[in-house]
Amino acid sequence: MIPVVTPVEMAAIDASAPEPLDVLIERAGRAVAAAAIDLLGGTYGRVVNVVVGKGNNGADGRVAARRLEARGVKVRVIDAAMRPPVLRRSDLVIDAAYGTGFRGEWIAPEVGDALVLAVDIPSGVDALTGEAGAGVLPADRTITFQALKPGLLLGDGARLAGHIDVADIGLDVSGASQHQVTVDDVAEWWPTRAIDAHKWNGAVKVIGGSPEMPGAAVLASTAAARAGGSLVSLSAPGVTVATPPEIVQRHVAADDFSADALVDIHRFGALVIGPGLGRADEVLMATRACISDATVPVVIDGDGLFASAWSAEGPAPLLRDRELATVLTPHDGEFGVLTGSPPGADRVASVRAAAADLGCTLLLKGQTTIVASPPEAEADPLGGHVWFVTNGDQRLATAGSGDVLAGMIGSALAMGLDADKAAAASAWLHADAANRTPADGLLASDIVDAIPAAIGAIR
Ligand SMILES: NC(=O)C1=CN([C@@H]2O[C@H](COP(=O)(O)OP(=O)(O)OC[C@H]3O[C@@H](n4cnc5c(N)ncnc54)[C@H](O)[C@@H]3O)[C@@H](O)[C@H]2O)[C@H](O)CC1
Ligand SMILES: [K+]
């Protein structure tokens, strides 16, 4: 896992560091110079423009400029405040105009075909939210210090940062409460079945589907089975859907189905509820009963999220009363239904606040998926852990993809993984499975088929 810290947290970490700021800046500048030489493929005859601002980001750039010059690179230092609209030709531009202290607007100069190395973050990107104006220079590479910044992983920032390297400048970020998930984390977390396991170790119950939307239930249940669910039982209210023979179907009525659907729930490790259920009043009512009565960890997706919020008091009384883990998997629109407003510019703060308010693990889907767990102590409302999952691409934005993810999380929960890791690891594997499929023409069922290969690759 790679630590992620906000600008405010980074300032506090700096302030408590034993080294003076000059030493940290010297280390940062040295790392920038090394990255520049790496990008240039040498020093002899190379020309570098360094755009420097008046803050510490600029100071990092000045140290790099000095070091590159000492190595024989021809260096021009350009004051950000006096920049010309177009820079003279160079092999590389080091963008050290602004870092985490940026506010407002920034129009970068034109740089021609030079490579661009951003110092800490591309200047003009908000390091907290990833928001950026149109004038920001896209980087080929960003060298950031000690920890990632949320703005490098979110929104425009993720696109503008290019390849990101994290340089060690000797700061202690061990207290970080946010991390980017890596393949090693998933390999460490994803459960392996015991040699003496039987089919009820890790069984998943799925309640989903309807006469109008049978497919969502098929995707969620087959994904749960592919992800390791030893036995998957599906109850699709009022309909029998066409599933592979391995999925056990237990028929329930189209209304008032909670008692029948949950009759043997104690035998299961987790419940996935919501995909394709629809929004008929009687379905919503029975769905709410299932959520409150399920004595197992629950993943709530799609129409299950709508059902959770379907009350004058909102979703909190229903969800907060649950004793076992609950994972909610909204996209932005569903997040709005759950909390009353869509995620704000600071998506992480929105997700953390919702997780704390609802007492649930919350997974907000997006180009970068954010998972937040509820805080352990009530005194610390934003204290839960945050995971960033960044390995997905546009392939995941296809109908049914979310149903697949919900099934996978159910499987991870049923195998005993903690809710936040179940959500984060499933999101990572879900993206990795999609990355194994063709870039065009992907069907959600192709993601299901690729799950075993994705899991196989982390073993
Ligand atoms: N622990 C670390 O990570 C370290 C990071 N370092 C580097 O320091 C910067 C942050 O430095 P700071 O001085 O706080 O902020 P900036 O350099 O980003 O800029 C602040 C400076 O610029 C002015 N300003 C902001 N926005 C604008 C604007 N739109 N137009 C004009 N001027 C603007 C602002 O008022 C300030 O005067 C971090 O990113 C790292 O690169 C150090 O290396 C130490 C360790
Ligand atoms: K910068």
Side-chain angles (χ1 to χ4, degrees):
M1 62 188 82
I2 304 176
V4 181
V5 304
T6 65
V8 169
E9 288 168 342
M10 199 42 139
I13 290 165
D14 269 359
S16 62
E19 298 91 342
L21 187 59
D22 305 6
V23 172
L24 298 175
I25 289 174
E26 195 63 35
R27 290 177 188 164
R30 189 194 311 154
V32 173
I37 292 171
D38 188 40
L39 266 176
L40 289 166
T43 56
Y44 180 76
R46 306 299 202 280
V47 180
V48 174
N49 288 325
V50 189
V51 181
V52 296
K54 59 188 167 185
N56 293 331
N57 194 255
D60 298 341
R62 287 181 195 275
V63 170
R66 193 192 75 222
R67 287 181 165 267
L68 289 172
E69 203 152 34
R71 294 285 301 272
V73 176
K74 178 172 164 49
V75 178
R76 299 188 200 104
V77 175
I78 298 127
D79 183 338
M82 324 256 271
R83 67 195 181 279
V86 182
L87 297 188
R88 286 161 65 192
R89 208 221 127 257
S90 69
D91 299 298
L92 174 74
V93 170
I94 296 181
D95 169 11
Y98 306 105
T100 51
F102 173 78
R103 299 279 170 281
E105 224 210 321
W106 165 245
I107 313 275
E110 284 178 32
V111 303
D113 59 1
L115 289 168
V116 176
L117 172 62
V119 176
D120 206 20
I121 189 161
S123 300
V125 174
D126 184 313
L128 183 64
T129 66
E131 289 174 305
V136 174
L137 190 58
D140 295 286
R141 193 151 147 187
T142 294
I143 180 143
T144 195
F145 306 119
Q146 210 63 53
L148 295 166
K149 315 297 164 328
L152 291 168
L153 305 178
L154 299 169
D156 302 318
R159 175 178 55 79
L160 293 162
H163 175 86
I164 302 170
D165 286 322
V166 182
D168 184 351
I169 58 168
L171 292 169
D172 178 9
V173 291
S174 59
S177 66
Q178 308 184 30
H179 291 87
Q180 182 189 37
V181 175
T182 66
V183 59
D184 293 338
D185 299 325
V186 181
E188 186 189 321
W189 300 340
W190 197 257
T192 343
R193 298 197 70 207
I195 188 97
D196 58 350
H198 59 82
K199 68 181 181 187
W200 286 103
N201 295 134
V204 181
K205 178 77 196 180
V206 178
I207 301 176
S210 54
E212 294 76 28
M213 283 178 292
V218 179
L219 288 167
S221 43
T222 50
R226 286 278 185 216
S230 50
L231 179 151
V232 179
S233 161
L234 168 65
S235 289
V239 64
T240 301
V241 299
T243 52
E246 296 82 0
I247 308 296
V248 181
Q249 275 196 72
R250 186 185 176 87
H251 187 76
V252 295
D255 57 2
D256 201 12
F257 53 75
S258 63
D260 283 343
L262 296 183
V263 71
D264 54 353
I265 194 67
H266 60 279
R267 306 189 75 182
F268 293 86
L271 166 67
V272 178
I273 185 161
L277 278 175
R279 297 181 176 186
D281 284 4
E282 56 277 18
V283 170
L284 297 176
M285 222 132 50
T287 301
R288 291 176 63 85
C290 289
I291 291 168
S292 83
D293 295 348
T295 51
V296 293
V298 174
V299 184
I300 307 178
D301 183 51
D303 295 324
L305 296 168
F306 187 86
S308 303
W310 191 66
S311 148
E313 287 85 46
L318 175 75
L319 298 176
R320 261 199 231 128
D321 273 0
R322 281 191 38 79
E323 279 175 15
L324 288 159
T326 310
V327 179
L328 310 176
T329 56
H331 52 56
D332 283 21
E334 290 163 340
F335 186 92
V337 169
L338 269 178
T339 67
S341 49
D346 183 351
R347 291 171 73 79
V348 176
S350 297
V351 180
R352 277 192 149 165
D357 182 42
L358 302 174
C360 296
T361 294
L362 219 132
L363 178 150
L364 179 64
K365 296 168 188 170
Q367 166 203 303
T368 287
T369 289
I370 302 167
V371 176
S373 32
E376 273 163 32
E378 265 186 44
D380 183 14
L382 297 184
H385 197 97
V386 172
W387 300 107
F388 292 85
V389 181
T390 59
N391 62 327
D393 67 15
Q394 65 287 350
R395 273 175 279 208
L396 294 177
T398 187
S401 163
D403 307 325
V404 174
L405 176 61
M408 295 176 76
I409 299 171
S411 194
L413 287 172
M415 291 187 287
L417 206 52
D418 292 343
D420 63 325
K421 291 179 178 166
S426 297
W428 193 95
L429 284 168
H430 178 246
D432 192 65
N435 291 344
R436 292 167 188 278
T437 67
D440 295 300
L442 170 81
L443 300 180
S445 50
D446 299 337
I447 306 179
V448 176
D449 293 344
I451 293 170
I455 295 174
I458 56 162
R459 298 297 190 204

